[in-house]
Amino acid sequence: MQQPKNLTPVSQLGEFGLISRITRDIVLRNPTTIKGAGDDAAVIECGSKCLVFTTDMLTEGIHFDLVYFPLKHLGYKSAVVNFSDICAMNGVPKQITVSIGLSSKFSVEAVEEMYSGINAACEKYGVDLVGGDTVASASGLVISIAALGEAVKEQITYRNTAGKNDLICVSGDIGASYMGLLLLQREKKIFLESPGVQPDFSDKDYLLRRHLLPEARADIIRMFQEFKIKPTSMIDISDGLSSEILHLCHESGLGCTIYEDKIPMHPVARETARELNLDSTMVMLNGGEDYELLFTISQSDYEKIKDVQQVSIIGHMTDKEKGCYLSSKNNVLHPLTAQGWDAFLKGK
Ligand code: ADP
Ligand code: MG
């Protein structure tokens, strides 16, 4: 749509610019609203506990392509990405509502297939599906899930509370989901050009799983409880490591240094990046949708976490004035930039 001269196209601000514009003047009127917009989930006081509340929407053609995204997997992923935001607050997901917009191409069976995935995710994470909304959509499928979780007030972990010299940690490995996406897109292209050709995904199961069936790191939240660790800040990695680290730094008013050789990448993801002629560090920094947790801990918790298999320490927080940098394998400092997922930016 052509914008009249005096109006600003959304692409000029991008997703984060737009969110900050529409949320900057929000007035919170209820003392029970402890945290409004600006974190992975809102925090609401409720008796002796807090509720954490989040929502995420996925739209066909932007977030998923039904040519290669099975509906059951889509249902599973739509629920899990919300659980991940609850985990990123150090909370436990408990309930969801599911709202769907359906174009006329969808059958009852297709919707049931998607719900079988949502139900499987709810079963795995011990969550109740408590309602939703169903509407017609002019084109394609829209799925919007809202999740409620519980947390003890003192244990809730925000984005803006990292401290100088805190250690930066990441769970699992990153970059694999993006590699899975690129493989699926490549096979779709080949399929459209020569429909008879069967996709060759030999040895790439891990990457496809990471993209189509991600998990929320509820196990890491349990580990924090078990080891009595309270992260000083936390966010989940949906848009890309670089973008999420910059959120923690910006919100906490700090800088950071992360080390290229410490960032965890699965060998299959590394090998696939090589096959696709991509720089694996760029993939780790900017490939999104891994739904791992990025968090900071105080140095005094180092002993508690150093031997946890599923956690890598990748750097530390610094003074804001020092800026945000990646230290390369040969000790050259590169400024971190947010090149992760933003569907609104031009050229995406
Ligand atoms: P995440 O990647 O963790 O899901 P987002 O980047 O989508 O988070 O959103 C960042 C913050 O902005 C969240 O706190 C979210 O609730 C808020 N937000 C996003 N879109 C809107 C909107 N349209 N109106 C109000 N708040 C919004
Ligand atoms: Mg998040």
PDB file of all heavy atoms in Angstrom, residues 9 20 36 40 45 72 94 124 132 139 159 193 206 218 230 250 268 286 302 330 334:
ATOM      1  N   PRO A   9       5.583   4.848   6.981  1.00  0.00           N
ATOM      2  CA  PRO A   9       5.388   3.412   6.770  1.00  0.00           C
ATOM      3  C   PRO A   9       5.938   2.630   7.963  1.00  0.00           C
ATOM      4  O   PRO A   9       6.957   3.024   8.544  1.00  0.00           O
ATOM      5  CB  PRO A   9       6.194   3.110   5.506  1.00  0.00           C
ATOM      6  CG  PRO A   9       7.046   4.285   5.254  1.00  0.00           C
ATOM      7  CD  PRO A   9       6.560   5.447   6.068  1.00  0.00           C
ATOM      8  N   SER A  20       7.795   0.094  20.538  1.00  0.00           N
ATOM      9  CA  SER A  20       8.185   1.101  21.527  1.00  0.00           C
ATOM     10  C   SER A  20       7.344   2.369  21.335  1.00  0.00           C
ATOM     11  O   SER A  20       6.960   3.024  22.310  1.00  0.00           O
ATOM     12  CB  SER A  20       9.692   1.301  21.493  1.00  0.00           C
ATOM     13  OG  SER A  20      10.046   2.458  20.925  1.00  0.00           O
ATOM     14  N   GLY A  36       4.048  -4.182  32.943  1.00  0.00           N
ATOM     15  CA  GLY A  36       3.226  -4.144  31.733  1.00  0.00           C
ATOM     16  C   GLY A  36       4.050  -4.555  30.529  1.00  0.00           C
ATOM     17  O   GLY A  36       4.895  -5.448  30.619  1.00  0.00           O
ATOM     18  N   ASP A  40       9.114 -10.400  28.429  1.00  0.00           N
ATOM     19  CA  ASP A  40       8.566 -11.564  27.735  1.00  0.00           C
ATOM     20  C   ASP A  40       7.105 -11.803  28.105  1.00  0.00           C
ATOM     21  O   ASP A  40       6.353 -12.378  27.325  1.00  0.00           O
ATOM     22  CB  ASP A  40       9.406 -12.809  28.061  1.00  0.00           C
ATOM     23  CG  ASP A  40      10.791 -12.698  27.445  1.00  0.00           C
ATOM     24  OD1 ASP A  40      10.894 -12.836  26.224  1.00  0.00           O
ATOM     25  OD2 ASP A  40      11.755 -12.421  28.185  1.00  0.00           O
ATOM     26  N   GLU A  45      -0.023  -9.194  40.120  1.00  0.00           N
ATOM     27  CA  GLU A  45      -0.060  -9.710  41.494  1.00  0.00           C
ATOM     28  C   GLU A  45      -1.392 -10.417  41.736  1.00  0.00           C
ATOM     29  O   GLU A  45      -2.445  -9.930  41.333  1.00  0.00           O
ATOM     30  CB  GLU A  45       0.078  -8.535  42.462  1.00  0.00           C
ATOM     31  CG  GLU A  45       0.392  -8.969  43.850  1.00  0.00           C
ATOM     32  CD  GLU A  45       1.249  -7.945  44.557  1.00  0.00           C
ATOM     33  OE1 GLU A  45       1.020  -6.738  44.373  1.00  0.00           O
ATOM     34  OE2 GLU A  45       2.169  -8.360  45.285  1.00  0.00           O
ATOM     35  N   LYS A  72      -0.221 -30.338  12.684  1.00  0.00           N
ATOM     36  CA  LYS A  72      -0.064 -30.807  14.063  1.00  0.00           C
ATOM     37  C   LYS A  72       1.159 -30.138  14.707  1.00  0.00           C
ATOM     38  O   LYS A  72       1.122 -29.681  15.853  1.00  0.00           O
ATOM     39  CB  LYS A  72       0.090 -32.325  14.059  1.00  0.00           C
ATOM     40  CG  LYS A  72       0.138 -32.915  15.427  1.00  0.00           C
ATOM     41  CD  LYS A  72       0.068 -34.425  15.406  1.00  0.00           C
ATOM     42  CE  LYS A  72       0.156 -34.935  16.839  1.00  0.00           C
ATOM     43  NZ  LYS A  72       0.129 -36.381  16.902  1.00  0.00           N
ATOM     44  N   LYS A  94       0.519 -22.492  32.982  1.00  0.00           N
ATOM     45  CA  LYS A  94      -0.609 -23.235  33.576  1.00  0.00           C
ATOM     46  C   LYS A  94      -1.833 -23.298  32.668  1.00  0.00           C
ATOM     47  O   LYS A  94      -2.510 -24.305  32.636  1.00  0.00           O
ATOM     48  CB  LYS A  94      -1.025 -22.585  34.907  1.00  0.00           C
ATOM     49  CG  LYS A  94       0.038 -22.647  35.999  1.00  0.00           C
ATOM     50  CD  LYS A  94       0.182 -24.049  36.549  1.00  0.00           C
ATOM     51  CE  LYS A  94       1.231 -24.122  37.636  1.00  0.00           C
ATOM     52  NZ  LYS A  94       1.495 -25.490  38.066  1.00  0.00           N
ATOM     53  N   LYS A 124       2.183 -32.327  27.526  1.00  0.00           N
ATOM     54  CA  LYS A 124       3.599 -32.412  27.897  1.00  0.00           C
ATOM     55  C   LYS A 124       3.981 -31.407  28.986  1.00  0.00           C
ATOM     56  O   LYS A 124       4.786 -31.706  29.860  1.00  0.00           O
ATOM     57  CB  LYS A 124       4.459 -32.195  26.650  1.00  0.00           C
ATOM     58  CG  LYS A 124       5.923 -32.142  26.968  1.00  0.00           C
ATOM     59  CD  LYS A 124       6.779 -32.596  25.849  1.00  0.00           C
ATOM     60  CE  LYS A 124       8.217 -32.663  26.356  1.00  0.00           C
ATOM     61  NZ  LYS A 124       9.149 -33.013  25.337  1.00  0.00           N
ATOM     62  N   GLY A 132     -10.919 -19.639  24.040  1.00  0.00           N
ATOM     63  CA  GLY A 132     -10.328 -19.031  22.854  1.00  0.00           C
ATOM     64  C   GLY A 132     -11.370 -18.298  22.043  1.00  0.00           C
ATOM     65  O   GLY A 132     -12.383 -17.851  22.586  1.00  0.00           O
ATOM     66  N   SER A 139      -7.820 -14.289   4.278  1.00  0.00           N
ATOM     67  CA  SER A 139      -6.833 -15.125   3.600  1.00  0.00           C
ATOM     68  C   SER A 139      -5.954 -15.825   4.618  1.00  0.00           C
ATOM     69  O   SER A 139      -5.416 -15.192   5.526  1.00  0.00           O
ATOM     70  CB  SER A 139      -5.977 -14.297   2.645  1.00  0.00           C
ATOM     71  OG  SER A 139      -5.048 -13.566   3.362  1.00  0.00           O
ATOM     72  N   ARG A 159      13.995  -8.488  32.178  1.00  0.00           N
ATOM     73  CA  ARG A 159      15.071  -8.209  31.220  1.00  0.00           C
ATOM     74  C   ARG A 159      15.983  -7.086  31.712  1.00  0.00           C
ATOM     75  O   ARG A 159      17.111  -6.967  31.219  1.00  0.00           O
ATOM     76  CB  ARG A 159      14.471  -7.760  29.877  1.00  0.00           C
ATOM     77  CG  ARG A 159      13.684  -8.825  29.147  1.00  0.00           C
ATOM     78  CD  ARG A 159      13.109  -8.249  27.839  1.00  0.00           C
ATOM     79  NE  ARG A 159      12.373  -9.267  27.101  1.00  0.00           N
ATOM     80  CZ  ARG A 159      11.753  -9.054  25.945  1.00  0.00           C
ATOM     81  NH1 ARG A 159      11.752  -7.836  25.400  1.00  0.00           N
ATOM     82  NH2 ARG A 159      11.124 -10.020  25.313  1.00  0.00           N
ATOM     83  N   GLU A 193       9.830 -26.800  -8.525  1.00  0.00           N
ATOM     84  CA  GLU A 193      10.442 -26.863  -9.864  1.00  0.00           C
ATOM     85  C   GLU A 193      10.317 -28.263 -10.459  1.00  0.00           C
ATOM     86  O   GLU A 193      10.095 -28.416 -11.653  1.00  0.00           O
ATOM     87  CB  GLU A 193      11.913 -26.423  -9.788  1.00  0.00           C
ATOM     88  CG  GLU A 193      12.032 -24.901  -9.697  1.00  0.00           C
ATOM     89  CD  GLU A 193      13.378 -24.427  -9.152  1.00  0.00           C
ATOM     90  OE1 GLU A 193      14.294 -25.252  -9.020  1.00  0.00           O
ATOM     91  OE2 GLU A 193      13.480 -23.224  -8.853  1.00  0.00           O
ATOM     92  N   TYR A 206      17.545 -33.486  13.213  1.00  0.00           N
ATOM     93  CA  TYR A 206      17.683 -32.590  14.358  1.00  0.00           C
ATOM     94  C   TYR A 206      17.284 -31.165  13.975  1.00  0.00           C
ATOM     95  O   TYR A 206      16.564 -30.472  14.707  1.00  0.00           O
ATOM     96  CB  TYR A 206      19.122 -32.612  14.885  1.00  0.00           C
ATOM     97  CG  TYR A 206      19.314 -31.706  16.077  1.00  0.00           C
ATOM     98  CD1 TYR A 206      18.760 -32.031  17.311  1.00  0.00           C
ATOM     99  CD2 TYR A 206      20.011 -30.502  15.959  1.00  0.00           C
ATOM    100  CE1 TYR A 206      18.896 -31.186  18.403  1.00  0.00           C
ATOM    101  CE2 TYR A 206      20.154 -29.658  17.048  1.00  0.00           C
ATOM    102  CZ  TYR A 206      19.596 -30.007  18.263  1.00  0.00           C
ATOM    103  OH  TYR A 206      19.722 -29.166  19.342  1.00  0.00           O
ATOM    104  N   ALA A 218      11.472 -25.518  30.115  1.00  0.00           N
ATOM    105  CA  ALA A 218      10.921 -25.641  31.468  1.00  0.00           C
ATOM    106  C   ALA A 218      11.898 -26.411  32.361  1.00  0.00           C
ATOM    107  O   ALA A 218      11.938 -26.207  33.583  1.00  0.00           O
ATOM    108  CB  ALA A 218       9.571 -26.349  31.408  1.00  0.00           C
ATOM    109  N   LYS A 230      19.027 -17.792  41.136  1.00  0.00           N
ATOM    110  CA  LYS A 230      18.082 -16.836  40.562  1.00  0.00           C
ATOM    111  C   LYS A 230      18.829 -16.016  39.519  1.00  0.00           C
ATOM    112  O   LYS A 230      19.719 -15.222  39.858  1.00  0.00           O
ATOM    113  CB  LYS A 230      17.484 -15.919  41.620  1.00  0.00           C
ATOM    114  CG  LYS A 230      16.578 -14.944  40.911  1.00  0.00           C
ATOM    115  CD  LYS A 230      15.715 -14.062  41.708  1.00  0.00           C
ATOM    116  CE  LYS A 230      14.924 -13.204  40.714  1.00  0.00           C
ATOM    117  NZ  LYS A 230      14.824 -11.832  41.097  1.00  0.00           N
ATOM    118  N   HIS A 250      20.319  -3.216  26.647  1.00  0.00           N
ATOM    119  CA  HIS A 250      19.609  -1.948  26.547  1.00  0.00           C
ATOM    120  C   HIS A 250      18.710  -1.743  27.779  1.00  0.00           C
ATOM    121  O   HIS A 250      18.742  -0.695  28.421  1.00  0.00           O
ATOM    122  CB  HIS A 250      18.786  -1.961  25.254  1.00  0.00           C
ATOM    123  CG  HIS A 250      17.990  -0.723  25.042  1.00  0.00           C
ATOM    124  ND1 HIS A 250      18.576   0.460  24.637  1.00  0.00           N
ATOM    125  CD2 HIS A 250      16.676  -0.460  25.208  1.00  0.00           C
ATOM    126  CE1 HIS A 250      17.645   1.387  24.554  1.00  0.00           C
ATOM    127  NE2 HIS A 250      16.481   0.852  24.897  1.00  0.00           N
ATOM    128  N   VAL A 268      25.620 -30.689  13.567  1.00  0.00           N
ATOM    129  CA  VAL A 268      24.853 -30.800  12.307  1.00  0.00           C
ATOM    130  C   VAL A 268      24.499 -29.402  11.773  1.00  0.00           C
ATOM    131  O   VAL A 268      24.517 -29.160  10.564  1.00  0.00           O
ATOM    132  CB  VAL A 268      23.575 -31.652  12.501  1.00  0.00           C
ATOM    133  CG1 VAL A 268      22.761 -31.711  11.212  1.00  0.00           C
ATOM    134  CG2 VAL A 268      23.945 -33.058  12.944  1.00  0.00           C
ATOM    135  N   ASN A 286      22.239 -14.515  14.476  1.00  0.00           N
ATOM    136  CA  ASN A 286      21.040 -13.918  13.884  1.00  0.00           C
ATOM    137  C   ASN A 286      19.928 -14.888  13.533  1.00  0.00           C
ATOM    138  O   ASN A 286      18.813 -14.458  13.241  1.00  0.00           O
ATOM    139  CB  ASN A 286      21.430 -13.123  12.631  1.00  0.00           C
ATOM    140  CG  ASN A 286      22.410 -12.022  12.972  1.00  0.00           C
ATOM    141  OD1 ASN A 286      22.228 -11.321  13.961  1.00  0.00           O
ATOM    142  ND2 ASN A 286      23.468 -11.892  12.199  1.00  0.00           N
ATOM    143  N   TYR A 302      28.668 -18.837  39.860  1.00  0.00           N
ATOM    144  CA  TYR A 302      29.451 -19.578  38.859  1.00  0.00           C
ATOM    145  C   TYR A 302      29.626 -21.047  39.239  1.00  0.00           C
ATOM    146  O   TYR A 302      29.403 -21.945  38.423  1.00  0.00           O
ATOM    147  CB  TYR A 302      30.824 -18.906  38.663  1.00  0.00           C
ATOM    148  CG  TYR A 302      31.757 -19.727  37.812  1.00  0.00           C
ATOM    149  CD1 TYR A 302      31.568 -19.815  36.433  1.00  0.00           C
ATOM    150  CD2 TYR A 302      32.827 -20.427  38.384  1.00  0.00           C
ATOM    151  CE1 TYR A 302      32.409 -20.591  35.651  1.00  0.00           C
ATOM    152  CE2 TYR A 302      33.670 -21.201  37.602  1.00  0.00           C
ATOM    153  CZ  TYR A 302      33.462 -21.276  36.233  1.00  0.00           C
ATOM    154  OH  TYR A 302      34.289 -22.043  35.459  1.00  0.00           O
ATOM    155  N   ASN A 330      39.952 -14.880  16.897  1.00  0.00           N
ATOM    156  CA  ASN A 330      41.285 -14.273  16.914  1.00  0.00           C
ATOM    157  C   ASN A 330      41.329 -12.949  17.682  1.00  0.00           C
ATOM    158  O   ASN A 330      42.133 -12.062  17.379  1.00  0.00           O
ATOM    159  CB  ASN A 330      41.839 -14.118  15.490  1.00  0.00           C
ATOM    160  CG  ASN A 330      40.780 -13.616  14.537  1.00  0.00           C
ATOM    161  OD1 ASN A 330      39.703 -13.201  14.987  1.00  0.00           O
ATOM    162  ND2 ASN A 330      41.070 -13.613  13.248  1.00  0.00           N
ATOM    163  N   HIS A 334      33.940  -7.221  17.471  1.00  0.00           N
ATOM    164  CA  HIS A 334      32.964  -6.784  16.459  1.00  0.00           C
ATOM    165  C   HIS A 334      31.721  -6.283  17.177  1.00  0.00           C
ATOM    166  O   HIS A 334      31.199  -6.988  18.049  1.00  0.00           O
ATOM    167  CB  HIS A 334      32.542  -7.961  15.569  1.00  0.00           C
ATOM    168  CG  HIS A 334      33.680  -8.602  14.847  1.00  0.00           C
ATOM    169  ND1 HIS A 334      34.085  -8.187  13.606  1.00  0.00           N
ATOM    170  CD2 HIS A 334      34.496  -9.611  15.212  1.00  0.00           C
ATOM    171  CE1 HIS A 334      35.119  -8.932  13.225  1.00  0.00           C
ATOM    172  NE2 HIS A 334      35.395  -9.797  14.178  1.00  0.00           N
TER     173      HIS A 334
END
